[in-house]
């Protein structure tokens, strides 16, 4: 995986475990409107180009580019919204192939996700239309049963404090420094 001191051959499993960890983390964050916090998660496997973009005078950023990144973004946007009670992690055939490759045997990450969280990898029926890519065979990590075990931290009652809800300024009152 990029940015790591120790290269790994199982990047797909690491990305999948990171996606599940993200779902667990956001499920305890109440939204001011009381709705469940959701994420759209997509994973793709392949070559990327990465590096620091910017200068010391500006604000340098570490960025990752390439068709692999764009396809992962398309997986996220074409998949369903995920919450802890309704997980959906959309992935490409390349990622599923890495997770299910014969030399990996029974992938420990998939076994762990199935045993601990009752999540299973399923092939999406038919081909999924992906913007800019066309029809693709895709997979999803979903709940194997109707319910998942509760997260380590229970979801607290949503805060309904009106001061937490950001009000939209009246039309024409916003003054951007870029427009001055």
């Amino acid at each position: 995986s990029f940015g790591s001191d120790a290269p790994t051959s199982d990047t797909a499993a690491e990305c999948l475990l990171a996606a599940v960890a993200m779902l667990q983390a956001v499920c305890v964050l109440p939204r001011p409107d009381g709705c469940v916090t959701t994420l759209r998660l997509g994973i793709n496997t392949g070559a990327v180009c990465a590096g620091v973009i910017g200068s010391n005078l500006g604000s340098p950023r570490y960025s990752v580019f390439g068709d692999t990144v764009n396809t992962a973004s398309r997986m996220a946007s074409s998949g369903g919204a995920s919450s802890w009670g309704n997980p959906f992690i959309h992935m490409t055939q390349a990622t599923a192939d890495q997770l299910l490759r014969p030399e990996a045997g029974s992938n420990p990450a998939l076994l762990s996700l199935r045993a601990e969280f009752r999540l299973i990898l399923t092939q999406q029926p038919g081909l999924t239309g992906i913007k800019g890519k066309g029809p693709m065979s895709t997979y999803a990590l979903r709940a194997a049963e109707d319910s998942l075990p509760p997260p380590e931290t229970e979801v607290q009652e949503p805060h309904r404090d009106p001061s937490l809800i950001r009000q939209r300024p009246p039309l024409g009152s916003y003054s951007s420094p870029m427009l001055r």
Side-chain angles (χ1 to χ4, degrees), residues 28-36 155-161 164:
V28 297
L29 300 174
R31 287 180 19 182
D33 61 3
C35 293
V36 174
V155 176
Q156 299 175 1
E157 184 63 31
H159 236 84
R160 299 216 182 251
D161 183 355
L164 295 177

Side-chain angles (χ1 to χ4, degrees), residues 16-99:
L16 199 56
L17 293 171
V20 170
M22 283 187 257
L23 274 177
Q24 281 183 296
V26 301
C27 76
V28 297
L29 300 174
R31 287 180 19 182
D33 61 3
C35 293
V36 174
T37 304
T38 60
L39 295 176
R40 288 186 179 268
L41 300 164
I43 303 173
N44 187 24
T45 301
V48 297
C49 180
V52 176
I53 307 298
S55 67
N56 290 338
L57 300 175
S59 56
R61 307 238 190 264
Y62 186 79
S63 296
V64 183
F65 302 97
D67 188 56
T68 301
V69 177
N70 293 338
T71 303
S73 175
R74 298 295 187 199
M75 288 294 108
S77 62
S78 65
S82 290
S83 65
W84 187 244
N86 184 26
F88 184 93
I89 302 169
H90 204 195
M91 66 191 74
T92 61
Q93 177 79 48
T95 301
D97 287 347
Q98 188 178 8
L99 290 167

